[in-house]
Structures are given as structure tokens and as C-alpha cells.
Amino acid sequence: MKNDRARPLLLTAFSAAAFFCVVAGSAFAHSRVDGGSHAGLNIPQISHGEMAVISDYRGRIIDLASRAVETNEPFRRVLNYAEIQYSYCLWGRMPGSVTDEESPFNECAHAYLAAAKAVLLSMREMSRERAAADEIISAVDADMVRRGLALITCRFSGEAFNTADIVKPRWSGIPFHAASMASLTGLASLFGLGVFGLRRFSRPKAQSSE
């Protein structure tokens, strides 16, 4: 009886995981959404070592940039790109997306962190934000030296980006990256459990016979 009761739960979780993988694989077959004309703004590359540190300060950088007063259109476009890329990269929640070169999320992590770095450096030219930006830059430099990351590179370290070119995760590579696969399968399983629970509790209770 216990096996019979657990079977619908397991089938729901498995179906949710399979559905997620199929949809992700077909909808995001390519890692980039190419703007074609590349009429956007160029964003300089970021090294593998830099992004490991910039990721720790990303929240402070974006918060400071969001409150900046002396902005211009290029600054706002790069900031917008940084936030869009961050969401496409699942908000940096995937394990190894920043540190693991083989992660399907590593290239898109390069993109949003390169944009965050560009935003930070732009704020050095703003009178109101300069002091706070310099403080973050000094902290980043110190962490780079302390952790010995200045010379660490990877295959995406020389890659520049453009605000007209959204970089998506390599969804097709997820089944071959254990950490990403485990994380997404776990998420899909939780979704399946939630659906099963809602169906169970929303099902009308059978009236007991008198």
C-alpha cells in the first residue's frame, strides 16, 4: 500500500523534471540571443579571477548604481543589461556558475559580472558616487591580491560583450554537468511535489457512508 501511495508522487516529480529538461533544451538551444546589428554598447571582458571577486560585491555595486543621480543613457543601458543578464543566469544561484569553467552557466556569468564591473568603473566619474565606488574598487583589488586571482583566466576571459547580445546558459550542456543537473532536477522535483500536494489537498474528500 505504501508503494502504491508513493508511486503518483514519484511519477509527478519525474515528469516535472523531464518536462523542464525538454522545454529548456528546445526553447534555449543556443547560448546567445544575437541582436544582429550589434548596435548596442560594448562591454570589456572580465577575467576568471576578477569575476570570482566581483561576484561577492555585485549586490553593493548594483545597489549603488541603482541609487546614482548623475547618470546618462549609456550607463543606464549597461546597468539594465547587467540586471537582465543576471536573471537569464538564474540570479547566480546555479552551483559553479562563477568558479567552474565547465559550467553551462559560466559564460552568462561572465556577461553579467563584466557588466557589473563596467558599471562600477563608470561610477568613478560621478561626483556623488565616486567615493563609494572607489571604496568598492579598493576592496576588490585587495581581495584579488589576497586570494591570488589576478592571473587566473579561462576560455571566456578574453570575451567582450555587447548590450545587444544576451548570453544565455548552454542548456544542452546541463545533462553533462553534474552540479547543474542535480540542482535543476532537485528544483523540478520540488515543483512536482508542490503540484502533487496541491492536487491532493484540493481534491474533494469522499463523503463517508452512513
Side-chain angles (χ1 to χ4, degrees):
M1 292 295 293
K2 289 184 178 180
N3 289 338
D4 291 339
R5 292 178 180 177
R7 188 174 300 167
L9 186 65
L10 295 174
L11 287 175
T12 302
F14 178 79
S15 299
F19 175 77
F20 181 87
C21 291
V22 170
V23 171
S26 60
F28 303 106
H30 302 286
S31 63
R32 283 179 179 261
V33 176
D34 201 333
S37 65
H38 284 280
L41 301 173
N42 290 324
I43 298 173
Q45 68 270 20
I46 185 172
S47 72
H48 196 71
E50 283 181 306
M51 63 185 288
V53 178
I54 290 290
S55 64
D56 293 338
Y57 293 89
R58 181 198 166 275
R60 287 176 59 184
I61 294 169
I62 298 302
D63 182 61
L64 179 63
S66 300
R67 294 183 284 105
V69 177
E70 302 173 20
T71 64
N72 52 36
E73 183 181 355
F75 177 84
R76 291 190 294 271
R77 288 174 65 184
V78 175
L79 175 59
N80 185 56
Y81 178 81
E83 296 185 291
I84 290 174
Q85 272 294 162
Y86 188 56
S87 63
Y88 267 106
C89 207
L90 300 186
W91 303 277
R93 301 299 183 188
M94 295 305 296
S97 61
V98 173
T99 58
D100 185 1
E101 180 182 354
E102 299 303 321
S103 168
F105 295 84
N106 189 245
E107 186 180 16
C108 70
H110 269 266
Y112 77 74
L113 291 170
K117 176 187 171 184
V119 166
L120 174 61
L121 296 179
S122 295
M123 287 190 288
R124 292 188 303 178
E125 308 302 321
M126 301 178 182
S127 59
R128 296 189 181 185
E129 285 71 39
R130 182 183 299 124
D134 284 340
E135 181 180 340
I136 296 174
I137 291 171
S138 296
V140 169
D141 287 342
D143 277 0
M144 289 280 291
V145 173
R146 179 176 57 83
R147 296 164 62 178
L149 297 172
L151 299 179
I152 303 299
T153 62
C154 73
R155 56 179 168 167
F156 301 120
S157 293
E159 182 177 355
F161 301 94
N162 189 284
T163 57
D165 189 4
I166 299 296
V167 182
K168 290 185 177 181
R170 292 184 296 105
W171 295 100
S172 61
I174 289 176
F176 307 101
H177 190 255
S180 298
M181 189 64 184
S183 182
L184 288 179
T185 301
L187 180 63
S189 298
L190 287 175
F191 176 77
L193 291 173
V195 171
F196 177 79
L198 286 175
R199 288 180 58 187
R200 182 174 181 180
F201 286 108
S202 62
R203 184 181 304 166
K205 294 182 178 179
Q207 294 181 353
S208 57
S209 57
E210 295 181 358

